Amino acid sequence: VHILLCRWEMGALTDWLGTQDALALRTTLLGRTPYAVPSRAKAAITSCDWRRFDELLSQGPPDTLVVAHGHDLPLSPPRSLSELRALFERGMGVAVRKPERHSAALSKLSEAFAHDIPGEQRVIVFATPAGHSGFGWHYDAEDVFIVQTEGDKEYFFRPNTVTERVGRGEPMDFPTYRLERSPLMSCRLLPGDLLYLPRGYWHAARAHADALSISIGVFPVS
């Protein structure tokens, strides 16, 4: 792990994709086109596998949502994997926001990612039970990089042609999704796979097996 963290100091995307592909993503695709690559982010798996996530839950991070069927629920978050499994059995998952404040491994990953994609980050770890979704169709004001670390999860996404691009803190209009007619795309992620979604893109996901994923959102640099 020590060697892994030292490599990340050069930039997480460069480490995962190689210099040429990371440069192409930053200069050509960023803010424009979705991008998915299999198996290239395997180095990130140990940042948030089930063991690490159990440790994270035990810290009791305050910014944790229990989610199911596109909504966050007024329930106490789990403090262990066993409590999380009980939620999974009821079709509920969790979203841990700002996990890098409570996990040294995720903090290192966040810092390393910033070497390649500078800007203010929003990091979230999603734990989703098999056969279920967390949040419904939505879009973000930031570019989003998703790394699958456990399980099997399918992501659905499409260009947003019905809402104006919004800035950070501005109100979102998710109900307008029903008006969207742009082409629908999908991508199934396994551990170590990476998906990039440009800011403003509609997206939703459904787990095929109990899943963990790290989402790193980066707000554009002004």
Side-chain angles (χ1 to χ4, degrees):
V1 174
H2 175 70
I3 295 174
L4 178 65
L5 296 181
C6 287
R7 291 210 330 265
W8 275 348
E9 291 178 1
M10 66 183 287
L13 274 180
T14 299
D15 187 30
W16 300 340
L17 304 180
T19 302
Q20 184 173 354
D21 286 350
L23 179 62
L25 194 159
R26 294 197 307 267
T27 59
T28 305
L29 305 177
L30 194 66
R32 300 181 182 89
T33 307
Y35 178 75
V37 286
S39 303
R40 299 283 288 276
K42 286 186 174 180
I45 291 176
T46 56
S47 296
C48 197
D49 55 16
W50 291 119
R51 181 183 66 82
R52 293 271 193 188
F53 195 62
D54 189 27
E55 294 173 353
L56 177 62
L57 292 176
S58 70
Q59 299 297 315
D63 203 350
T64 301
L65 302 176
V66 177
V67 296
H69 310 298
H71 303 284
D72 57 283
L73 307 174
L75 299 175
S76 298
R79 296 293 296 270
S80 66
L81 273 187
S82 61
E83 292 183 8
L84 177 66
R85 297 297 180 193
L87 289 178
F88 275 10
E89 291 175 1
R90 299 166 62 191
M92 302 175 188
V94 298
V96 182
R97 299 184 289 195
K98 303 176 184 177
E100 73 279 12
R101 298 185 180 183
H102 308 276
S103 164
L106 288 172
S107 178
K108 286 285 188 180
L109 174 60
S110 173
E111 292 172 3
F113 200 88
H115 282 283
D116 283 324
I117 308 292
E120 187 171 348
Q121 294 183 358
R122 179 167 67 171
V123 182
I124 306 175
V125 173
F126 292 96
T128 311
H132 292 274
S133 302
F135 295 112
W137 281 100
H138 65 285
Y139 58 89
D140 296 300
E142 69 269 28
D143 292 302
V144 178
F145 297 82
I146 300 166
V147 178
Q148 197 70 26
T149 63
E150 293 278 9
D152 177 347
K153 197 171 185 180
E154 189 167 10
Y155 293 81
F156 305 91
F157 47 95
R158 63 199 312 178
N160 187 341
T161 66
V162 296
T163 67
E164 295 290 336
R165 179 169 290 184
V166 299
R168 185 180 181 188
E170 296 179 12
M172 304 290 194
D173 192 5
F174 299 151
T176 57
Y177 177 75
R178 66 184 184 276
L179 304 176
E180 189 59 74
R181 298 294 182 269
S182 64
L184 178 65
M185 296 170 274
S186 67
C187 181
R188 193 162 177 171
L189 299 189
L190 300 176
D193 294 349
L194 171 70
L195 172 65
Y196 162 68
L197 296 174
R199 52 192 177 271
Y201 255 65
W202 293 108
H203 56 282
R206 184 175 181 84
H208 293 281
D210 292 351
L212 273 180
S213 56
I214 306 169
S215 171
I216 303 177
V218 183
F219 293 95
V221 178
S222 300

